[in-house]
């Protein structure tokens, strides 16, 4: 990714106005990258004299509870005092982190859309950014939004600006969005960024432990159940899918974030090129898609599940029953394969 001097200049000018009222928002079902980039960017903006509120549409997973400053993140769905609405009404600048269109905020979309006067700045790494941003730092070739935030901080304030708190938050997103540095876009520049973060003295094994070894017993057992009983293979064993009903989730005391990583697991099977996870919610089924190499699940998600994302990690929604969703998936995979998209 190459930052444009013009865009950096424009952002520098926006932030030169003292004491701006800033809101940082991130996507529904916030993950390590959404939360990490929000917390790091907030810390940096607070340190440079602004007032900042971070808002997410719904709860972040409990394995991020340990993060510095997480208690200050307003969860819109649980916000009885109306802190989110007040902050958005006050805001004259809104940063949109780790998503590409206001609609991805789902229940929070209308609240953000209602403030028509604030400047909007996008900082993201998803394909195809939507309209409506005054300034867009959109880098689909960046492995995480945290890496984009890293580059912005470096460009605006220099490498000395990284405090351990900022470094820890950025490392979380870089680690989680790359599957602990195992997916695509692992550039030399990313590792140089990690080296700079490590120089602040952050405890990398501890961060890894906090995020990846913090699950409940229920989650461990649900994982075993899902792989053993619910994983199905089609297309001569090259395409996988898995589904979880609400009753199954209740049985294992499901908490937000517990299914993290399930969809990836099918790709540990050598022959599998594409994997899907269908997770039942009250009003719809959330679809998660993952793929290997050239297989483009962003295209698949857009075409068949009204969604999007990245080439190897995408998602969408389904508004029909689990059985119908699975039938639609199987038919769609057949069509996708017939068009030559599965190699
Ligand atoms: P996950 O499976 O981890 O929820 O999502 C994987 C990727 O797909 C993420 O980058 C996420 O932003 C994107 N994604 C998930 N659900 C949707 C959706 O409903 N619409 C769009 N456009 N992208 C989605
Ligand atoms: Mn991300």
């Amino acid at each position: 990714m190459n930052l444009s001097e013009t865009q950096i200049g424009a952002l520098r000018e926006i932030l030169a106005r003292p004491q701006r009222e800033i809101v940082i928002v991130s996507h529904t079902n916030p993950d390590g990258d959404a939360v990490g980039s929000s917390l790091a960017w907030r810390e940096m903006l607070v340190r440079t004299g602004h007032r900042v509120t971070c808002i997410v549409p719904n709860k972040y997973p409990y394995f991020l509870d340990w993060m510095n400053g997480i208690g200050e993140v307003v969860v819109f769905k649980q916000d009885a005092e109306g802190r989110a609405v007040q902050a958005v009404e006050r805001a004259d600048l809104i940063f949109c982190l780790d998503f590409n269109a206001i609609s991805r905020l789902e229940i929070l979309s209308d609240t953000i859309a209602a403030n028509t006067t604030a400047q909007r700045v996008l900082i993201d790494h998803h394909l195809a950014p939507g309209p409506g941003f005054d300034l867009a730092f959109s880098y689909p070739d960046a492995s995480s939004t945290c890496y984009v935030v890293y580059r912005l901080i470096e460009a605006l304030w220099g490498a000395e600006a990284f405090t351990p708190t900022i470094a820890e938050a950025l490392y979380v997103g870089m680690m989680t969005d790359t599957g602990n540095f195992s997916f695509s876009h692992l550039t030399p520049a990313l590792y140089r960024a990690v080296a700079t973060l490590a120089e602040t003295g952050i405890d990398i094994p501890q961060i890894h432990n906090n995020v990846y070894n913090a699950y409940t017993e229920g989650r461990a057992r649900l994982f075993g159940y899902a792989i053993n009983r619910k994983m199905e293979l089609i297309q001569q064993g090259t395409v996988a899918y898995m589904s979880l009903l609400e009753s199954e989730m209740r049985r294992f005391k499901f908490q937000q974030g517990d299914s993290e990583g399930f969809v990836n697991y099918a790709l540990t099977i050598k022959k599998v090129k594409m994997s899907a996870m269908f997770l039942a919610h009250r009003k719809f089924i959330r679809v998660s898609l993952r793929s290997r190499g050239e297989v483009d699940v962003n295209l698949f998600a857009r075409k068949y599940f009204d969604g999007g994302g990245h080439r190897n990690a995408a998602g969408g929604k389904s508004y029909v029953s689990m059985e119908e969703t699975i039938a639609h998936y199987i038919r769609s995979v057949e069509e996708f394969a017939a068009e030559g998209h599965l190699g």
Side-chain angles (χ1 to χ4, degrees), residues 104 299-308 315-319 328:
R104 289 280 290 126
L299 179 68
F300 187 88
R302 278 173 190 278
K303 205 166 165 193
Y304 301 109
F305 286 102
D306 188 27
K317 289 198 197 75
S318 171
Y319 293 92
H328 173 64

Side-chain angles (χ1 to χ4, degrees), residues 69-116:
I70 192 113
E72 300 298 312
V73 174
V74 180
V75 179
F76 182 68
K77 205 173 173 179
Q78 305 172 344
D79 178 30
E81 307 101 81
R83 283 170 64 202
V85 172
Q86 286 162 28
V88 173
E89 280 172 358
R90 269 200 318 269
D92 57 15
L93 176 56
I94 299 176
F95 282 103
C96 298
L97 267 59
D98 200 35
F99 64 97
N100 56 1
I102 298 296
S103 61
R104 289 280 290 126
L105 296 173
E106 300 186 8
I107 56 170
L108 179 58
S109 303
D110 291 344
T111 303
I112 295 297
N115 181 338
T116 51

Side-chain angles (χ1 to χ4, degrees), residues 152-209:
L152 291 178
I153 292 177
E154 186 186 41
L156 289 167
W157 295 285
E160 312 74 54
F162 296 107
T163 63
T165 303
I166 294 174
E168 196 168 74
L170 292 179
Y171 187 82
V172 167
M174 291 178 182
M175 175 180 81
T176 53
D177 257 31
T178 58
N180 198 23
F181 302 96
S182 68
F183 303 154
S184 49
H185 308 302
L186 298 176
T187 59
L190 172 69
Y191 288 102
R192 279 195 286 273
V194 170
T196 301
L197 298 182
E199 272 164 3
T200 67
I202 56 170
D203 188 341
I204 287 174
Q206 186 64 46
I207 296 171
H208 185 280
N209 197 46

Side-chain angles (χ1 to χ4, degrees), residues 27 31 33-34 98 125-126 143-145 177 310:
H27 61 79
D31 55 9
D33 192 32
D98 200 35
H125 70 133
H126 291 89
S143 55
S144 62
T145 296
D177 257 31
H310 314 277

